[in-house]
Amino acid sequence: MSDRFRLLLALCIMLAITGCASSRPSPQTVTMVIESSPNSLDLRIGVDGQSEHIGSLIFDSLVHKDAHFNLEPWLATSWETPDPLTYRFHLRNDVHFHNGQPLTSADVKYTLDSMRNGTVITAKAAAFAHVDRIETPDAATVVIRLKQPDAALLWNLSDGAIGIVPVGSGRDFAFHPIGSGPFKFVSQLQDEYVILERNDNSWQPRPGIARIRFAVVPDAITRALELEKGSADVCINCLTADMVYALAKRPDLEVVDAPGTNLNYISFNAQDSVLRDVRVRQAIAYAMNRPLIIHSLWRDRAQLAESLLPPEHWAWTGDVQKYPYDPAKANALLDAGGWKRAGDGIRFHLTMKTSTDETSRLLAMILQQQLRDVGIALEVRSFEFATFYSDISKGAFQMYTLRWLGGNEDPDIFRYAYDSHMFPPHGANRGRYSNPTLDALILEGGMSGDQAQRRADYVKVQQILAADLPSINLWYLDAVLVHTRRLGNIKISNSGNFDFLRTATVAP
């Protein structure tokens, strides 16, 4: 744990010596620090948190998630399902894209068709695999015909999951995205910044912020310094708990937090010669002292997780195999699997990949110490996010750590992350895990219109995943936002998204 305390000491020293050299932001510009560049500002393609959070400010979806993850009208003022295979949406008639072009049913049809027919190559295409065809009887009506019932369709048409683009938007659209949301795209420099400005012609309430600069700052200490100097205004879920604790003492900064749904997890390559042994995966889980890590790394701003779904979710269950800290059981599992210790006490070596995110690296270093106690030598390798994400998408890893940022709020996450048909680029089953029984349950749960039956299926899904352990669900992180006092009217969501920028105000 000494590295963690050295980080805190370094932060405190740097905060103390930082002063009048800071560059203050323009009164009309809010600077938000983020950990990495969005993978793609085309919401048809981008699946990482930065892409979905920034993209949701640029684009509009058909339906919108409220604070309790219920779906409500958005571009679609209403919809009906006359039968299980038909969804009919009625669109607003006062929506225009940022270039002045009216948004009509033709744009909705093109957006969905372009994801389905290969016009753009996207992992999100799998979300619409059950769509047969899309009809546009008039400019304000969209009819989606399904091949089979799909209970997740509405969720896949919600904010973050999709954004409606103009007809004709091709593969290079991410470099000059045009949406209909409350903010317009201005410019982007990879690994440096993204700039948006207010859309004064939005059909939604006019934002109080004229311009937003998302500054890419991979290093957590530097992000904290930017806030301390006043050269940045806000960040959310991007600092270590120690940094939040230190910054909360400053009179010019404010900390806002709420229970969160964002999930930290560790994923395994199920095809790896060592990790394909379920006993190894279970032993790693037993070797982890998660409560101690939460206390030490997060200052108790997190809750233990036993499922991808948040505990508040209607399909969540706690009736699954659990892995309390038990090194003796971990050693017994490894012994039973024939993984004997060598003369140096090491059974085998593993490599864990992380991004350059500070808390991810700290987690990996703590895990490195805990696994050594059961004879596993863990090497930690950190990469810039683009390289890291490319590697895990290709399956070029043994273990990695990452977070689900809002995607775990609907049970379709099980299909996307674990169905054997969802290997990248079709989905996020990056560990190449395969279980036919699980596939069948996921399919049944996704087709049923009976919520009780769906819950029964998803309970079994969670129980299988907890036993097979293709990944370890670690904890749900509290949503923690730090901002300068020039910002007001801050309302954060449990998802930790960027929707607070829609209503935030800036002091003159």
Side-chain angles (χ1 to χ4, degrees), residues 226-238:
E226 294 295 315
L227 288 162
E228 186 272 340
K229 292 187 296 184
S231 49
D233 292 292
V234 62
C235 79
I236 186 168
N237 296 340
C238 73

Side-chain angles (χ1 to χ4, degrees), residues 274-383:
V274 176
L275 291 167
R276 65 189 177 194
D277 184 343
V278 66
R279 292 168 294 192
V280 171
R281 303 196 296 267
Q282 292 176 339
I284 291 173
Y286 281 121
M288 293 184 64
N289 191 337
R290 292 187 297 156
L292 178 62
I293 297 174
I294 289 175
H295 177 71
S296 302
L297 193 58
W298 295 107
R299 285 185 174 265
D300 299 315
R301 290 182 181 267
Q303 303 297 320
L304 283 175
E306 309 297 349
S307 171
L308 259 71
L309 299 177
E312 303 81 8
H313 199 283
W314 56 265
W316 178 87
T317 181
D319 182 21
V320 297
Q321 182 171 334
K322 297 179 174 63
Y323 299 88
Y325 179 55
D326 193 339
K329 186 168 287 188
N331 277 309
L333 281 166
L334 293 171
D335 289 341
W339 303 100
K340 303 300 182 183
R341 293 179 185 262
D344 59 359
I346 300 301
R347 301 174 188 272
F348 50 78
H349 291 73
L350 292 174
T351 298
M352 183 171 184
K353 291 189 175 182
T354 79
S355 69
T356 52
D357 172 70
E358 195 62 45
T359 54
S360 295
R361 292 192 294 176
L362 286 172
L363 167 61
M365 287 188 288
I366 295 170
L367 187 59
Q368 188 178 50
Q369 296 174 3
Q370 294 182 347
L371 292 187
R372 180 168 286 275
D373 291 342
V374 298
I376 300 174
L378 184 68
E379 179 183 356
V380 179
R381 295 182 182 176
S382 298
F383 302 88

Side-chain angles (χ1 to χ4, degrees), residues 31-38 187-195 213-218:
T31 298
M32 179 171 178
V33 284
I34 57 177
E35 303 96 312
S36 57
S37 283
S187 61
Q188 176 181 14
L189 181 60
Q190 185 69 22
D191 298 326
E192 293 288 339
Y193 61 78
V194 177
I195 296 176
R213 182 177 187 270
F214 296 95
V216 179
V217 183

Side-chain angles (χ1 to χ4, degrees), residues 483-497:
H483 68 91
T484 59
R485 293 192 181 273
R486 72 189 290 254
L487 292 188
N489 199 31
I490 300 293
K491 302 175 182 177
I492 64 173
S493 72
N494 291 13
S495 298
N497 59 31

Side-chain angles (χ1 to χ4, degrees), residues 27 99 112 114 129 165 189 219 299 373 439 461 481:
N99 60 6
L112 298 176
S114 67
V165 305
L189 181 60
D219 179 68
R299 285 185 174 265
D373 291 342
D439 291 349
V461 166
L481 183 147

